[in-house]
Amino acid sequence: QVRVVESGGGPAQVGGSLRLSCEVSGYTYSYCRFDMNWYRQAPGNDRELVATVQHQGYIHYVDSVRGRFTVSQDKAKNTAYLQMDSLTSDDTAMYYCKIDSGVCDGSWRDFNIWGQGTQVTVSS
């Protein structure tokens, strides 16, 4: 069973940086190219999409984080990263990694697996 685990959250100062990790494990396929999404949800707000990586390799960011957040990947560790720079108080939220779907061993598959979330708190 595919599992997703986020880490790297914590307190940060306005203007500071954090790097979140999203480790994917438990899949039995030899090779997968995932559609992976980063979401966040602040208290009292709806969950919003922050960034997405399509299995083809295309990366998209929501306007509010474009130029400040960067998605990367370490395929050897089956881990995706969300580098967050120039943090503001509006970035305070629980951040989630979600595996939507992907191409595994040459076939399209739906997963829809959420991580447990990692808290990011940005203060002055």
Side-chain angles (χ1 to χ4, degrees):
Q1 185 175 8
V2 176
R3 294 178 296 168
V4 178
V5 179
E6 304 98 332
S7 62
Q13 296 289 322
V14 171
S17 298
L18 285 174
R19 188 179 73 164
L20 307 184
S21 299
C22 174
E23 183 178 0
V24 183
S25 63
Y27 58 90
T28 61
Y29 311 102
S30 298
Y31 177 78
C32 285
R33 294 179 294 169
F34 293 110
D35 290 342
M36 189 279 295
N37 300 311
W38 285 99
Y39 290 85
R40 67 184 181 186
Q41 186 169 19
N45 294 335
D46 294 330
R47 186 170 298 179
E48 66 171 340
L49 179 66
V50 176
T52 183
V53 182
Q54 299 180 9
H55 68 273
Q56 302 95 330
Y58 299 116
I59 302 174
H60 304 277
Y61 302 95
V62 69
D63 288 343
S64 61
V65 308
R66 195 185 312 276
R68 299 188 300 115
F69 290 10
T70 304
V71 173
S72 62
Q73 184 179 12
D74 186 338
K75 294 183 178 180
K77 297 180 179 179
N78 297 319
T79 302
Y81 302 96
L82 181 66
Q83 178 68 42
M84 306 186 297
D85 298 321
S86 301
L87 288 166
T88 74
S89 60
D90 291 336
D91 296 319
T92 295
M94 183 74 74
Y95 284 73
Y96 299 90
C97 182
K98 177 181 181 287
I99 302 301
D100 188 14
S101 57
V103 177
C104 297
D105 294 341
S107 298
W108 181 266
R109 290 176 172 83
D110 291 329
F111 295 101
N112 298 310
I113 303 297
W114 291 85
Q116 84 288 351
T118 184
Q119 178 67 42
V120 172
T121 303
V122 184
S123 60
S124 301

